[in-house]
Each structure stands twice: as structure tokens, then as C-alpha cells.
Amino acid sequence: MSKNAVINLDGKDIELPIIEGTEGEKAIDIRKLRAESGYITIDSGFGNTGSCESTITFIDGAKGILRYRGFTIEELTEKCSFEKVIYLLMYDKLPTDDELSSFNEDLKKYSTIDNDLFKSLFSSMPKDAHPMSILSAALSVLSTHESENLNPLDPAQVDIAAKKLMAKIPLIAAASYKYSKGEEFNVSDSGLNYTANFLHLMFSNGSDKYDLKPAVETVMNKLFVLHADHEQNCSTSAVRFVGSSQANLFASVVAGVNALSGPSHGGANQKVLEQLQSICDDGGDASKFIAKAKDKADPFRLMGFGHRVYKNFDPRAKLIKQSCDEVLNVLGLNDPLLNVAKELSQTALNDKYFSDRKLYPNVDFYSGIIYKAIGFPVEMFTVLFAIGRLPGWITQWKEMHAVDNRIGRPRQIYSGENERSL
Ligand code: CMC
């Protein structure tokens, strides 16, 4: 039976429908509020505002649950390739073997970028350009060569654009690294799966092929899967918002890349490692940095800590922490940053400031230590997040178009000067 909420404004009862999700989450549907009452709602940071109904990802922040299309991330990371998860997200079904291999063939077919285009694109950028800026610029340039695949209202064009984005993002990411080192770009190896091919693009040197360790491939696959979607976060909301203006998929994804680059969002993984390094360089005393984080007069924040939604633990961080120990063991590395990270998190977890505010290590806290162990420079970390998140952006964009593509256009309360004369 449908229920209503009743809000009394200026002596008038306004009835607003209650919406309940399949996991029992409840919302007050305020779509008629302004028309019926003249009032709007204000919710800076949108902490209480649902922007859509979605069938893609479920998060329970109190219990530390994250599921894509109903499957837990624990099971998906254990049993699925990244490609299978991309398919699951994008097409809302687990692929059959034939569907998966045909999908993989498409990704491989599109896993090229014209070398001259690539070289001229990079030649306009300094060697130390940040890979996220390169990614943003490169995707915009690529879109200029995709005019036949840019109609957001044509599902066939959208499907090709989506596959091309997925196929080409590893090439751009790896090329940004190669460019910074002054090395030739590698070409894709069609014998390799998505993750292995990306590692080859990054770390092979001409005919000197990257020595791919199964444990490294497994952990990278797991990290990509763990980042694949996270419902209405900042970058995903940016993608949906830009897409709601009927901007094409490339343009919308570029908005996501730029939103992700900020240190409060995906850019945090780079900042975490830089912070751990500075704690290490400073003698390794975690408590000094905890004190700085607690000092309200100091803008310093403990990077990789805290989350808008997770208020108990971040299930992704839990899985990544396990992998971190495993991969360092396999690679025979003993990174002092891991010890600093563990001490920092232990000290914070026992501190009232952090427990009162429910601040726990998030997805970015341990991932950088793994990336570093594999050989990625810190500047690349956020791009790795972007590769992982791309299927989520694409899927959310498609859902927005299929379900409710009304242009995003929030209201405001004007609090400036009343009309006056010069
Ligand atoms: N270090 C110290 N204090 C913190 C931190 C932190 N990392 N995070 C939040 N707080 C405090 C904050 O000062 C505030 O205290 P008070 O109530 O006394 O004013 C309280 O906790 C609530 O913080 P908030 O900023 O209102 O929380 P939010 O939900 O708006 O922000 C966040 C969430 C993730 C942006 C924030 O926790 C943060 O800046 N963390 C560090 C950056 C980071 O790790 N970002 C990655 C997020 S996970 C991956 C992703 O989304 O990309």
C-alpha cells in the first residue's frame, strides 16, 4: 500500500508520496512540492537528496555492503574478470561464454589509436602533464573522430561509443606514462585479457615484454572490479548531470574524469601515498599527523579516511588491505609505507575524534601501496581509478537516458541584494 508524508507549510497540508526501494530504503518524493507550496528544499552536498532511482548498485553504509546488480563485491572480485563485471553492469545480465567472448573481441578490435593522432595529441602537452589532465584532453580529442557514434539517443551508437571508451582508456593511460618517460607507446597485445594487456601497455618496453606475474594480474583485476561502480558519487553524478543535457557519452565521461581528479574524490589515492611518504620522511610518528587532522585550525585531513556513505567500514578497503599484504609478500617487498599506513589507521581507529565522526579507512587508503609495489608512479593512481570506474559511468549514463533524462537543473535560494539603482 502506498504511503504519503504530510508536510504542513503556511497552514496547508501537502501530501508527498513515499518511495521505497527493494532493500527497504525510503524517500519522500518532493517532485510536486514546489508546484503545490512554492517551497524548495536545500541540501548542500546532497547528503539527503536522491537524484534518481537506480537498479545498478546497492550500498548499505552502516553494514558495509556493496553490490553490483545484486552480486556482492566479495563474490565478484573472487570469481569474475573485470570484463565480465563490465558486461554485467552495462547490459544488466551475466554474459554467457559466447556473449563474453564476443564482447571481448569487440574491446580488442577497438583497442587501437591512430599513432599519428596520438603523437600529435601528446606533442602539445608538457612531459610532466598530469595523467588525469591528459586523459580528459585525450578523450575530448578522440570524440572529434567519432562523429558517427555521438548521438546519445541512438542505442547502437551509444554501444559502440561505450566499447570504444572502455577499449581506449588503457591505451591513453599507458601512453601518458610512456610519454612522461620519453618512451615509445606500446600497441595492444590481442592475446591478453583486458587487465594483462593494460599492464603490458604500461610496462613492456618494445620487444622486452613485461614479466606478468599472476598475482599482479589478479590484484589489478580485483582493484578494477572494486572501483567499477559506486552509485551516485561526485564523478558519476557529474556524468549523469552533463548527460542530462543530451551531451554525448564522450563529453559526459570527460566530466566524470575531471570530477574524479579532485583530492576529496579519486585524487585521494595519490594524496594518500604522498601523505604516507611525508609521515615516513618525518620519522614515522603517526600521532603527530593524527593531531594535525584533529586540529580544527589546520586544514590538514587524513587522506584515505572518511566517507560520505560508509559509517562503519568501507568493504572495498577491507578487501584491498588483504590484497596489499598478499601482493607485497608475492613480490617479496617490504614497503615501510605499509607499516606507516597500518600504524596510522590503528592510531586513528582508537581515537575518539575518528570514532565519534565514524571515520574509517576508505578505498583509497591501501590501494596506492599496491599500485606502488606493481611499479605505477603516484601520478597514475587516479587514472587507475578512472579505468575501474568507467563502466559505472557508462552504465549510469545509459540508465539516466533510459529512465529519466530530464535535464538536471537545481534551484537556489537567492540571498543577494534586492533590486537597486546605480
Ligand atoms: N580527516 C580528518 N577529519 C575528517 C576527515 C579526514 N579525512 N574526513 C572528515 N573529517 C571530519 C570533518 O572535519 C568533520 O568534522 P566536524 O564534524 O567536527 O566538522 C566530520 O569529519 C565530517 O566530515 P565532512 O567533510 O562533513 O564529511 P563528508 O561526508 O562531507 O566528506 C570525505 C567525505 C570523503 C570528502 C571526507 O571524509 C574527506 O575529505 N576525506 C579525505 C579525502 C578522501 O580520502 N577522499 C576519498 C573518499 S573515498 C573514494 C572516493 O569517493 O573517491
Side-chain angles (χ1 to χ4, degrees):
M1 202 175 67
S2 65
K3 286 186 255 167
N4 288 333
V6 181
I7 176 169
N8 188 285
L9 294 168
D10 303 327
K12 183 183 167 199
D13 277 350
I14 314 279
E15 285 202 28
L16 300 167
I18 302 270
I19 295 178
E20 189 164 337
T22 48
E23 292 286 344
E25 296 167 301
K26 294 183 183 67
I28 302 169
D29 179 347
I30 60 159
R31 276 172 277 204
K32 294 206 171 83
L33 177 65
R34 186 175 161 276
E36 292 194 6
S37 70
Y39 283 72
I40 62 165
T41 57
I42 288 268
D43 185 20
S44 69
F46 306 113
N48 300 282
T49 298
S51 58
C52 58
E53 288 185 58
S54 177
T55 62
I56 303 167
T57 289
F58 173 68
I59 300 176
D60 184 324
K63 296 190 183 137
I65 293 172
L66 170 58
R67 297 185 208 132
Y68 306 152
R69 303 285 192 196
F71 299 102
T72 66
I73 49 156
E74 288 77 11
E75 194 177 13
L76 292 170
T77 48
E78 194 58 37
K79 300 184 185 160
C80 292
S81 65
F82 184 43
E83 296 91 312
K84 195 167 184 173
V85 173
I86 301 171
Y87 191 102
L88 169 69
L89 286 167
M90 277 178 25
Y91 302 107
D92 194 8
K93 70 190 279 272
L94 282 170
T96 61
D97 290 348
D98 283 351
E99 284 166 339
L100 186 58
S101 69
S102 140
F103 181 64
N104 281 335
E105 282 316 307
D106 282 347
L107 292 185
K108 286 178 184 184
K109 180 174 76 190
Y110 295 134
S111 183
T112 61
I113 293 183
D114 178 81
N115 211 31
D116 289 342
L117 165 68
F118 228 10
K119 286 205 161 135
S120 63
L121 168 69
F122 275 88
S123 67
S124 65
M125 300 190 210
K127 283 261 183 304
D128 62 352
H130 195 283
M132 284 299 275
S133 305
I134 294 180
L135 181 59
S136 165
L139 291 175
S140 291
V141 171
L142 277 188
S143 76
T144 66
H145 295 260
E146 294 294 335
S147 53
E148 70 284 14
N149 294 315
L150 296 182
N151 181 354
L153 305 177
D154 179 337
Q157 290 191 31
V158 168
D159 195 52
I160 294 174
K163 287 175 181 158
K164 286 194 171 186
L165 279 162
M166 276 313 324
K168 293 179 196 301
I169 192 172
L171 288 156
I172 301 167
S176 69
Y177 172 64
K178 290 290 183 190
Y179 183 67
S180 71
K181 295 188 66 176
E183 292 176 3
E184 285 295 310
F185 305 155
N186 290 315
V187 293
S188 288
D189 179 340
S190 61
L192 298 174
N193 66 37
Y194 191 91
T195 303
N197 184 51
F198 171 58
L199 290 164
H200 148 73
L201 290 168
M202 279 289 303
F203 298 121
S204 289
N205 231 331
S207 57
D208 187 8
K209 291 273 180 221
Y210 176 60
D211 176 19
L212 179 66
K213 299 204 168 37
V216 169
E217 185 185 337
T218 303
V219 80
M220 278 307 294
N221 187 77
K222 186 182 265 192
L223 285 163
F224 283 151
V225 170
L226 284 177
H227 285 87
D229 193 48
H230 212 234
E231 49 118 306
Q232 308 313 317
N233 57 84
C234 177
S235 56
T236 302
S237 298
V239 170
R240 276 185 175 253
F241 206 81
V242 170
S244 77
S245 75
Q246 308 291 332
N248 67 65
L249 183 58
F250 278 81
S252 307
V253 164
V254 170
V257 169
N258 291 325
L260 188 73
S261 69
S264 296
H265 193 9
N269 60 8
Q270 174 176 344
K271 296 286 174 210
V272 169
L273 210 89
E274 289 169 354
Q275 205 168 80
L276 292 175
Q277 189 63 58
S278 56
I279 297 174
C280 214
D281 295 345
D282 194 62
D285 181 5
S287 58
K288 202 164 137 187
F289 289 81
I290 299 277
K292 263 172 87 58
K294 287 159 60 174
D295 180 359
K296 288 289 164 200
D298 190 332
F300 180 88
R301 280 195 167 197
L302 211 54
M303 300 312 285
F305 257 78
H307 197 275
R308 173 65 61 80
V309 181
Y310 294 119
K311 298 298 175 195
N312 190 353
F313 68 95
D314 180 337
R316 302 166 300 174
K318 201 170 163 188
L319 292 170
I320 293 173
K321 182 167 182 272
Q322 281 164 12
S323 297
C324 196
D325 286 318
E326 282 161 23
V327 87
L328 290 188
N329 271 340
V330 169
L331 296 175
L333 297 173
N334 181 15
D335 190 339
L337 294 191
L338 180 58
N339 299 332
V340 174
K342 283 182 175 167
E343 195 200 325
L344 192 66
S345 94
Q346 209 44 51
T347 316
L349 291 173
N350 291 326
D351 191 293
K352 194 169 165 348
Y353 173 95
F354 288 86
S355 54
D356 280 356
R357 288 167 182 76
K358 301 189 188 311
L359 302 170
Y360 299 91
N362 60 45
V363 66
D364 295 322
F365 193 68
Y366 288 105
S367 58
I369 296 173
I370 301 180
Y371 295 145
K372 178 170 172 264
I374 295 173
F376 291 101
V378 284
E379 296 76 25
M380 287 295 296
F381 291 3
T382 313
V383 175
L384 301 175
F385 194 149
I387 298 175
R389 183 54 53 85
L390 183 56
W393 289 337
I394 292 169
T395 306
Q396 298 271 352
W397 185 96
K398 285 173 67 177
E399 184 179 70
M400 181 273 302
H401 271 283
V403 176
D404 180 8
N405 65 356
R406 197 169 176 225
I407 188 167
R409 203 302 183 188
R411 295 270 175 173
Q412 65 163 22
I413 294 293
Y414 175 70
S415 55
E417 297 287 347
N418 294 119
E419 183 175 348
R420 53 184 172 163
S421 305
L422 288 170

